[in-house]
Amino acid sequence: MPKSASLVAVQMQYRLEDYRSAEAFRERVLGVMRAVRQRAPKGDLLVVFPEDVGLGLIFTQDFERIQSAKTMVEAGLRLMERYQINAFANEGGFAGATRTLLRTLSPFVERVYHEVFSEAARVGGAWVVAGSAPIAQGECVHNVSYTYNPKGERVLVQRKINLVPLEQEAGLNLCPAPRELPTVNTPVGKLGVLICLDGFYHELIDQHAKRGVRVIAMPSYNPLPWTKEEAQGWESGLLAGVQKHPDMIGVNPMGVGGFFDVRAEGQSSIVAPRSRTPDGSGYLARAKSKDQEEILFYPG
């Protein structure tokens, strides 16, 4: 990796009020990018945002209607009422209604998500992995991550392949994506993106390594308490996956906080083979907290 380049993992605090309008979301993301550039005023940057950073955009157009909801399900039901989607008469029941709702909202979500992160990449003069957002493609809705170059051009699209329970039929009812692993050349090396759970499937990391990938970005959102056992479990993901690839670095930002009754905790990290880290831990950088906003840099 060039000496003038930096890798950045954004441990971003998700707050419902940051999605009260498209402008509020824009200011939130641009504020993070300004903070990153203040820390690293020169040189190439690869900035990775967390998974589901765009999920809150499903609430933006109807913020006053949903802001007093107590649960994600209640918020979803209020939106279904707004868009005249019958939660139980819909083909496929509640899961089908959820899919219909997300498809209805997708054009707005995708437009704002794309415009904001394209601008963030331009303003920051950085390569940006824009976390992810729920975006419809045909009849399906996928958990999708866009990557931008410093001109604000979208240069990589990665869809999540392996879904967690919250994304399956009883939750958001997303579609698992085909096993497609696009890559893009950046100043810090060839980049691949694996969204959260996909980074625990080491064969995907191995496939990227065979294609010359040097940096894996793994945007994540962990809707569980960050207990000692949970933290240990996460070490079997990207940290373990990069160990047999001596030239590979993994960037794993985690979203913290959340929406209504869905809350996340986690410690973001930048990882490498243990032999490349001074203390032999495999961590080049690691967040101090499990529930506060932090920005990690390597080199620090």
Side-chain angles (χ1 to χ4, degrees):
M1 201 172 87
K3 288 184 178 180
S4 62
S6 297
L7 301 173
V8 182
V10 178
Q11 180 162 304
M12 191 169 176
Q13 183 91 37
Y14 293 168
R15 303 175 301 231
L16 185 63
E17 59 265 29
D18 292 326
Y19 297 84
R20 66 189 182 276
S21 66
E23 183 59 26
F25 180 66
R26 173 180 175 270
E27 280 303 313
R28 179 76 171 99
V29 172
L30 292 182
V32 170
M33 285 301 299
R34 286 192 291 268
V36 168
R37 262 303 175 201
Q38 285 173 0
R39 284 270 304 274
K42 296 180 181 178
D44 294 309
L45 283 179
L46 174 65
V47 183
V48 188
F49 282 78
E51 181 183 26
D52 291 331
V53 67
L55 177 60
L57 292 170
I58 67 174
F59 306 121
T60 300
Q61 296 176 98
D62 304 282
F63 191 79
E64 290 186 3
R65 178 180 286 261
I66 59 85
Q67 63 180 329
S68 64
K70 297 294 187 286
T71 67
M72 280 283 275
V73 170
E74 182 184 351
L77 287 169
R78 291 185 186 188
L79 290 176
M80 289 176 192
E81 182 182 33
R82 158 73 175 84
Y83 292 99
Q84 299 182 329
I85 298 167
N86 191 313
F88 303 102
N90 193 80
E91 184 179 349
F94 188 74
T98 301
R99 173 81 57 82
T100 300
L101 176 65
L102 290 177
R103 287 178 58 216
T104 300
L105 297 171
S106 178
F108 173 84
V109 170
E110 197 276 341
R111 177 178 63 79
V112 176
Y113 170 74
H114 167 67
E115 288 176 355
V116 166
F117 279 103
S118 174
E119 182 180 2
R122 292 195 308 273
V123 168
W127 293 77
V128 174
V129 179
S132 70
I135 295 173
Q137 293 174 311
E139 295 299 309
C140 272
V141 181
H142 294 284
N143 189 349
V144 184
S145 178
Y146 290 170
T147 297
Y148 298 89
N149 66 18
K151 295 180 181 178
E153 299 166 335
R154 188 177 62 188
V155 293
L156 187 151
V157 176
Q158 179 66 55
R159 297 181 291 174
K160 192 171 184 179
I161 300 164
N162 300 282
L163 303 181
V164 299
L166 189 64
E167 299 168 313
Q168 295 173 7
E169 191 169 346
L172 294 171
N173 196 21
L174 304 180
C175 294
R179 187 172 291 206
E180 298 168 347
L181 299 173
T183 63
V184 63
N185 289 313
T186 79
V188 298
K190 186 176 281 189
L191 169 71
V193 178
L194 296 174
I195 302 173
C196 202
L197 184 58
D198 290 343
F200 287 79
Y201 288 77
H202 293 172
E203 67 271 18
L204 300 179
I205 295 175
D206 296 344
Q207 284 183 44
H208 271 316
K210 288 177 183 175
R211 299 171 66 189
V213 166
R214 292 292 177 263
V215 179
I216 297 279
M218 181 178 147
S220 296
Y221 185 80
N222 177 56
L224 294 167
W226 192 252
T227 61
K228 181 180 178 182
E229 293 74 23
E230 188 72 11
Q232 288 173 343
W234 274 75
E235 293 192 342
S236 67
L238 196 55
L239 175 64
V242 303
Q243 293 309 311
K244 60 182 174 180
H245 305 298
D247 297 325
M248 187 174 280
I249 294 177
V251 184
N252 180 208
M254 302 189 75
V256 295
F259 313 106
F260 309 109
D261 59 330
V262 177
R263 316 296 296 177
E265 294 183 344
Q267 284 178 282
S268 302
S269 59
I270 301 174
V271 298
R274 291 184 174 88
S275 59
R276 291 182 59 186
T277 57
D279 60 0
S281 68
Y283 290 100
L284 296 168
R286 196 178 193 189
K288 296 180 176 64
S289 70
K290 64 181 181 180
D291 57 4
Q292 300 299 309
E293 184 152 308
E294 298 186 39
I295 301 175
L296 306 184
F297 286 78
Y298 175 75

